[in-house]
Amino acid sequence: MAAAAAATTTQMDNTRSLSSISSTSSLLFTRTNEFYKIQNRVKFKSPRALSIRATSSDSVVTLLDYGAGNVRSVRNAIRHLGFGIKDVQTPEDILNANRLIFPGVGAFAAAMDVLNKTGMAEALCAYIEKDHPFLGICLGLQLLFQSSEENGPVNGLGLIPGVVGRFDSSNGFRVPQIGWNALQITKDSEILDDVGDHHVYFVHSYRAMPSNDNKEWVSSTCNYGDNFIASVRRGNVHAVQFHPEKSGDVGLSVLRRFLHPKTNIPKKPTEGKALKLAKRVIACLDVRANDKGDLVVTKGDQYDVREHTKENEVRNLGKPVELARQYYKEGADEISFLNITGFRDFPLGDLPMLQVLRLTSENVFVPLTVGGGIRDFTDANGRHYSSLEVASEYFRSGADKISIGSDAVYAAEDYLKTGVKTGKSSLEQISRVYGNQAVVVSIDPRRVYITHPNDVEFKAVRVTDLGPNGEEYAWYQCTVNGGREGRPIGAYELAKAVEDLGAGEILLNCIDCDGQGKGFDMDLIKLISDAVSIPVIASSGAGAVEHFSDVFRKTNASAALAAGIFHRKEVPIQSVKEHLYKEGIEVRI
Ligand code: 1PR
């Protein structure tokens, strides 16, 4: 009891009261020593430099990127809206900013550690307390609160009363929340003027809750199991839990309104229909070099991507960047690139693939996932690259999530054998550094029919359609290297193991259904989406709009992914969305 009381007192002490924010002088006084230390440490610019800055200041936004992850998308969105970026190098840059964006990434404790050690925490508080224009994004919102339970309690900046806690997954809601959700706007916030009934993109496991103590700050809430704070606003200070830079046109309008506060942009009439978390429709681009060495989007039949002609060429369905842009415009909620020969080619040697990501992220403002070849690697010169380095390069190039296939199978096998989490697998390392919401595990299972569920040591299901010899059961054998090698582990065992090891989402393919257009493997998707509490993406086999409504109605999949029908222009993404909407399934339209 005493310890709990002490913890509460510390958190309260760390809160700057609302009244003190409006009259900042006493508050600044309490931190005077530390504050002046910062001012003494910083070098003042020459008057010439200051005057240059003053003339261009309206079109330059200051960005606080403390190097913990990918803020490339935020940069791209700012540039797309016609603004230049000045990066914060010292606390003085914060104090001198005309307009500051803080896209927090990574874990709460690590971020606070950096902010405290660099003196940025004090500078941020001083800047915000003076009511200068500020926009915090995601963790950039959470850090404004008193404290967080993430690996904590850990003290935050203490500007807003409240503790950031983890979503409760016990009531059936999947954690992390990944996807497009609806806002309930509770007060005029200006930057949300065009959001109305449109969905915006969230990806997070922790959230702050509205209370009497922080109600003057809260400008919108969102429901995910319970009502959490989606945005705050006080004067010129704004922060959002969702990602405007990943929320398509609606998200760009949020940034635009923050960047151009004085121009009277008329409110767009709201056409959205958002009520709750939407089911996502994902376009997938399987990418590899063809025999001429060009990077192309290809598509297999049960993972065979070669034409059945004399030339036996790799099927070429288009250019990756062009197709990604097209699918973004057509309403894809997310885009996945799978570098399907990544298992044999070293991804960091694959500069065209990194270039695809860089170019795509310049004007595609929905989440991008990239997979293929994420593992430790030693090149011909003996130089060792860790999987973390490979993933970091993908993130730096514009990926929001990475997807691990083969290497996750080996990690799960080891974990199930020993029962020990070594912390060394690519999955564990990347998830520790970038958060589990940034790590997808892509499973490539093949159906194996059996007559009795006890015939194998792996979880089997009673199949809807009998096997070739009348078999009533099947288990789903995991494969590696693009389906080339079967492993002694089932999809069910793998999914549970990778959830334990830190995966934030599962991309569930099925080799038997891939490219067949006959619908998703419901038995498999039901098995896996019922077994884990992280989101599951149903993949392989979509051939008609009804297949999407079927998978959402009959399983707990959070998203459905398709490739062939989109590439061959048989079914546009918009038709899928319209069908789902008519069927009463929440989608982003
Ligand atoms: O093992 O970490 O290097 O990752 C390799 C990645 O490449 C894995 O995600 C694996 O699924 C993927 N991959 C490897 N070989 C192939 C292949 O097709 N020969 N593609 C491949 C997997 C499956 C889906 C496909 C859906 C939907 N592609 O992503 O897009 O089945 O297709 P459909 O709608 O046309 O049916 P690592």
Side-chain angles (χ1 to χ4, degrees), residues 284-286 298-300 302-305 338-344 371-375 403-408 442-444 480-484 507 509-510 513-517 520 539-542 561-565 567-568:
C284 182
L285 288 80
D286 290 350
T298 189
K299 183 66 214 73
Q302 300 182 326
Y303 284 33
D304 176 4
V305 298
L338 297 177
N339 187 353
I340 67 169
T341 49
F343 69 90
R344 62 168 181 244
I374 296 179
R375 65 191 191 285
S403 143
I404 310 176
S406 308
D407 213 46
S442 166
I443 311 184
D444 298 316
V480 292
N481 301 347
R484 287 168 181 79
L507 164 53
N509 303 297
C510 176
C513 298
D514 175 59
Q516 305 307 295
F520 298 97
S539 166
S540 304
L561 171 151
I565 52 167
H567 303 336
R568 293 188 300 268

